[in-house]
Amino acid sequence: MNIEQIRDYCLAKKGTTEDFPFDADTLVFKVLGKMFALVSLKKWEAGETTINLKADPEYSEELRADYNSIRPGFHMSKKHWNTLYLHEGELQPKLILELIDHSYAMVIKGMTKKMRETLLG
């Protein structure tokens, strides 16, 4: 998958915006202001294609046990975030998209009822 495919997929999700809140390198996708995906553009351009995604802690443990290319989140809460090392070639596009969906759903699940109602209308 390339960065444009990931960007398009994330932005197609309801309530999603993109931002560079930390620096000019880290592209962050948010739903109603809450982060669900982060990508280092500098690393991506250098061939180290990674994406940080939120995940249920138990599911994170399963994913890390099943895939060498899924590790605790780089510069993130190791309990709630994973880094997917896409350039290692282990992860199929279908799984990557499913994990983006899971991250988005986890963030929505953690929102207040009012925020969820605003989003889901």
Side-chain angles (χ1 to χ4, degrees), residues 63-77:
L63 290 167
R64 294 172 194 170
D66 291 345
Y67 300 97
N68 292 327
S69 298
I70 299 178
R71 301 180 199 127
F74 184 71
H75 286 307
M76 305 293 286
S77 162

Side-chain angles (χ1 to χ4, degrees), residues 1-12 18 20 25-29 37-52 84 86-87 96-97 100:
M1 295 190 77
N2 66 45
I3 190 69
E4 287 302 319
Q5 290 169 310
I6 288 175
R7 180 177 179 267
D8 291 345
Y9 190 78
C10 289
L11 289 176
E18 62 183 338
F20 289 87
D25 170 53
T26 308
L27 174 59
V28 178
F29 296 97
L38 297 91
V39 176
S40 167
L41 297 180
K42 222 179 270 179
K43 285 184 178 181
W44 198 284
E45 289 169 7
E48 188 182 332
T49 54
T50 63
I51 184 169
N52 284 8
L84 282 59
L86 308 182
H87 62 279
I96 296 164
L97 297 179
I100 291 171

Side-chain angles (χ1 to χ4, degrees), residues 87-101:
H87 62 279
E88 294 180 0
E90 178 185 23
L91 307 174
Q92 296 302 310
K94 182 178 186 284
L95 175 62
I96 296 164
L97 297 179
E98 287 171 4
L99 293 176
I100 291 171
D101 292 343

Side-chain angles (χ1 to χ4, degrees), residues 53-61 64 72-73 76-82 106:
L53 298 172
K54 193 164 191 168
D56 173 78
E58 287 181 21
Y59 187 41
S60 282
E61 293 299 322
R64 294 172 194 170
M76 305 293 286
S77 162
K78 309 293 186 229
K79 181 177 180 180
H80 296 282
W81 289 85
N82 288 319
M106 287 295 299

